[in-house]
Amino acid sequence: MPKTTSDFDPETYAPVAERIELFYQRFPTGRILTELVQHTEHEIVFRAAVYRVAEDSEPAATGWAAERVNDGEINAVACIENTETSAIGRALANLGFLASRLRPSAEEVAKAALHLLRTAERAGLSPTRAEALRARVARGLPAAELAEVQHELRRFVQRRMEEHAARAGRSG
């Protein structure tokens, strides 16, 4: 929803700065990269990529934004900055850090669970277990069961991170 319409309620909007903070709380070794794709006299285009851990070679999510130079008060003085921030906000939303402070929908929660499942798979979750969890999420679990799945996946990923850190400490 555009932030300039009469329907926009700033009390329900989570600014990009808050979402960036939440991202780094959840993924302390993550990174956010931006790229100025186009800069003409009339338009700015940015691409943002977010990575859950610094070592990831592929982004967990991307976001694009385009703004017209001098279109509105902000773009008259800070079009590049505004466009970059919009791209970051879109990438974070695609990763599950939504622009709304309102409670997420069941679909948004399921989407976040599937993102978490892909992270667990990259961390070594067995294909059999991953498929079983994916099937449960696809069936449309009640909120409490979906929270249990997410908790299990977070614990798995955390254990793998701790194991990796311990191995790195022994070999370093």
Side-chain angles (χ1 to χ4, degrees), residues 84-96:
E84 182 179 38
T85 301
S86 294
I88 292 169
R90 290 177 188 277
L92 290 172
N94 288 337
L95 191 60

Side-chain angles (χ1 to χ4, degrees), residues 2-4 8 13 15-16 42 44 66-86:
K3 292 177 278 219
T4 55
F8 176 68
Y13 179 75
V16 174
H42 303 288
I44 306 289
E67 296 282 348
R68 297 184 78 46
V69 177
N70 293 320
D71 185 19
E73 292 177 31
I74 293 175
N75 286 346
V77 294
C79 191
I80 289 177
E81 297 88 336
N82 187 40
T83 310
E84 182 179 38
T85 301
S86 294

Side-chain angles (χ1 to χ4, degrees), residues 1-3 5-14 99-102:
M1 171 190 316
K3 292 177 278 219
T5 67
S6 60
D7 294 338
F8 176 68
D9 180 2
E11 294 301 312
T12 64
Y13 179 75
S100 173
R101 286 188 177 128
L102 300 176

Side-chain angles (χ1 to χ4, degrees), residues 40-127:
T40 69
E41 183 180 338
H42 303 288
E43 186 177 52
I44 306 289
V45 178
F46 262 94
R47 177 184 183 265
V50 290
Y51 299 77
R52 291 185 183 104
V53 295
E55 298 80 23
D56 282 349
S57 60
E58 295 294 322
T62 61
W64 290 81
E67 296 282 348
R68 297 184 78 46
V69 177
N70 293 320
D71 185 19
E73 292 177 31
I74 293 175
N75 286 346
V77 294
C79 191
I80 289 177
E81 297 88 336
N82 187 40
T83 310
E84 182 179 38
T85 301
S86 294
I88 292 169
R90 290 177 188 277
L92 290 172
N94 288 337
L95 191 60
F97 296 90
L98 304 175
S100 173
R101 286 188 177 128
L102 300 176
R103 188 174 181 180
S105 69
E107 292 81 15
E108 291 166 338
V109 173
K111 183 178 177 181
L114 292 173
H115 280 294
L116 189 55
L117 179 58
R118 285 191 289 278
T119 300
E121 287 177 293
R122 284 196 307 272
L125 185 67
S126 77

